[in-house]
Amino acid sequence: MENNLAIDRTGRIPKTAGANFLFNVISYTVVSVAAILCLLPFEILISGSFTDESAIALHGYGIIPSDFSLEAYRVLFKFPQAIIRAYGVSIFITAVGTVIGLFLTSMTAYVMNRKDFKYRNKLAFFFYFTTLFNGGILSTYIFFVKYLQLKNDMLSLILPLLINVFYLIVMRTFISSIPDSISESAKIDGAGDFTIFMKLILPLTKPGLATIGLFYALDYWNDWYNAMLYITDVNKYPLQYLLFSTLQSAEAISRISKMASVAAISVPTLSLKLAMAVIATGPIILVYPSVQKYFVKGLTVGAIKG
């Protein structure tokens, strides 16, 4: 009887426990090797930041520091209050910009997905048109500085990245997977549009909100260009622009010292770049594990339901 149960209706013998074990071993091995290869560049980045400048010039980058040195971090943290203040600015604009951007993006996507909104196609074309043509840097700068008076204002770091059309389209596609019957039943019960959006649509779009929110957070955290355009007050520098200006100053000092043949001035420009990347990348990496579980849900939206 046991032999008969071991054979399926097609006459083929199912996979044995040994085959499953072998498959698991191969799968875990491949995934582990891929994970190590993905982590290897970051390990080289950290190692290079703790390597002496002359050792990098002679031997290049390695997994283990060939000549351990903290000189790059000493240069960056020569004025620690500036780094801490820049961290505060970056955290503020990232948190505020991400929350407001998520709210506006999801609300706009919900409106564009409503079939009873007769201007939704025109509104969608308006947003799509901005991806093809824009006013350019000069007109944007004049608008922000002359008309909005946002020079040296935190809003100048938040408003330019507040709405991303690509994220808007993704969010609209995600909301379209929600059955219309949910909104219709809520309307029958007397709920208004804003109530439906806040109490029904938003809770059902958590995977999409987490995914788009991570993208917005990365955009705000890595942005330095808007700070270069609109911020001249050192106390309002975000982290990325502070590190960028520090690197520019270090490279300028290094070039001047070489031109003047002054050997006493030594600035670790190579290891400084890596140390800057470590300082700027570290905090944002901690955000990913908190939203990782929502990525799987986002990928399975629209899958076949049994």
Side-chain angles (χ1 to χ4, degrees), residues 98-113 162-163 167-168 171-172 175 197-198 201-202 205 208-209 212 216:
T98 300
V99 171
I100 299 177
L102 271 178
F103 181 75
L104 294 179
T105 300
S106 57
M107 180 180 289
T108 307
Y110 171 66
V111 171
M112 291 171 57
N113 188 63
L162 202 55
I163 293 291
Y167 304 159
L168 176 62
M171 199 65 196
R172 179 188 181 185
I175 293 177
F197 171 72
M198 293 296 295
I201 302 300
L202 283 185
T205 56
L209 291 174
I212 301 303
Y216 269 120

Side-chain angles (χ1 to χ4, degrees), residues 42-50 73 76 87 221 239 243 271-285:
F42 193 68
E43 166 61 24
I44 295 175
L45 176 71
I46 297 175
S47 174
S49 66
F50 288 102
Y73 290 95
L76 282 178
Y87 259 114
W221 185 266
L239 180 64
L243 297 178
S271 58
L272 185 63
K273 294 178 183 178
L274 302 181
M276 287 168 50
V278 171
I279 293 175
T281 307
I284 201 65
I285 289 180

